[in-house]
Amino acid sequence: MKIGVIYGSTREGGNAEILTEEVINSLPDVTKIKLKDYHVKDILDQRHELTGFERVEDDYDQIIEQIMDCEVLIFSTPIYWYGMTSVMKRFIDRWSQTLRDDKHPHFKEEMSRKQAYIIAVGGDHPRVKGLPLVQQFSYIFQFIGLNYKGYIVGEGVKPQDIFKDGKAIEDARKLGELLKKRVQSK
């Protein structure tokens, strides 16, 4: 079972990344995609144009190719202003284009065979105020057909604050063990 992690942080080694690493540190065959390292342009909404979407010259297709091989996707993002980061949102917005891309005629069907988890870290009572973010992801997953399996929300603002959140660290380790068992049973 191949696992793909889509990191939405714009900071290297941030709290969301640290928490996610707690999940995947003992798992084999993990594809790590740090969106900040790719150039992904904003979507130009051409859904209703007769000619459809024009090809976009950026790194987006490289990311899609990497996640298509994965059976589990982990969306890892800091909570910025009570939502996902701009790089994560930009990436997901582009799915509208992929749904109509002749290079991926079965995108929705292929996504429906994958499992999805959310890992988010923020300040200002994130276990309550981060729930709209979790809900937003769950609606996205529902629309695209991803099999939504759960989330972990942690609290942290300053670098390495996440280590003070024992519940989030423990939840991450439990998820890592669960995924490890699934990998071993394949």
Side-chain angles (χ1 to χ4, degrees), residues 10 13 54 66 77 80 84 93 104 111 118 153 165 179 181 185:
T10 58
E54 296 173 15
Q66 291 179 71
T77 184
Y80 285 176
M84 67 182 74
D93 281 350
H104 299 283
M111 293 296 272
I118 304 158
V153 172
D165 186 343
L179 292 173
K181 287 178 186 174
S185 69

Side-chain angles (χ1 to χ4, degrees), residues 9 25 27 34 42-43 48 97 133 151:
S9 182
N25 64 15
L27 299 175
K34 293 185 178 184
D42 288 329
I43 189 166
H48 306 291
Q97 187 172 350
L133 165 73
Y151 70 93

Side-chain angles (χ1 to χ4, degrees), residues 99-115:
L99 285 167
R100 293 160 179 81
D101 189 338
D102 56 5
K103 290 182 354 188
H104 299 283
H106 306 289
F107 180 66
K108 201 168 184 178
E109 180 184 328
E110 291 174 24
M111 293 296 272
S112 73
R113 290 189 219 111
K114 301 177 188 315
Q115 299 175 359

Side-chain angles (χ1 to χ4, degrees), residues 48-124:
H48 306 291
E49 301 292 325
L50 292 177
T51 56
F53 283 95
E54 296 173 15
R55 293 269 177 228
V56 178
E57 296 299 321
D58 64 3
D59 298 332
Y60 172 79
D61 286 338
Q62 293 175 35
I63 301 168
I64 290 298
E65 294 303 322
Q66 291 179 71
I67 70 168
M68 295 318 293
D69 290 337
C70 300
E71 296 171 67
V72 174
L73 297 175
I74 298 173
F75 294 81
S76 172
T77 184
I79 303 172
Y80 285 176
W81 290 102
Y82 310 99
M84 67 182 74
T85 62
S86 61
V87 292
M88 182 70 77
K89 183 70 168 78
R90 184 178 302 116
F91 169 67
I92 292 173
D93 281 350
R94 289 285 296 279
W95 290 1
S96 294
Q97 187 172 350
T98 307
L99 285 167
R100 293 160 179 81
D101 189 338
D102 56 5
K103 290 182 354 188
H104 299 283
H106 306 289
F107 180 66
K108 201 168 184 178
E109 180 184 328
E110 291 174 24
M111 293 296 272
S112 73
R113 290 189 219 111
K114 301 177 188 315
Q115 299 175 359
Y117 294 88
I118 304 158
I119 298 177
V121 179
D124 194 21

Side-chain angles (χ1 to χ4, degrees), residues 150-169:
Y151 70 93
I152 299 171
V153 172
E155 186 164 3
V157 177
K158 294 178 183 173
Q160 305 208 358
D161 269 358
I162 193 62
F163 289 117
K164 298 174 188 172
D165 186 343
K167 179 181 178 354
I169 296 292

Side-chain angles (χ1 to χ4, degrees), residues 7 15 23 26 35 47 51 61 92 112 121 123 127 153 173-174 181:
Y7 292 98
N15 288 307
V23 173
S26 67
L35 294 174
R47 290 176 294 162
T51 56
D61 286 338
I92 292 173
S112 73
V121 179
R127 286 188 179 80
V153 172
R173 289 179 180 152
K174 286 179 184 176
K181 287 178 186 174

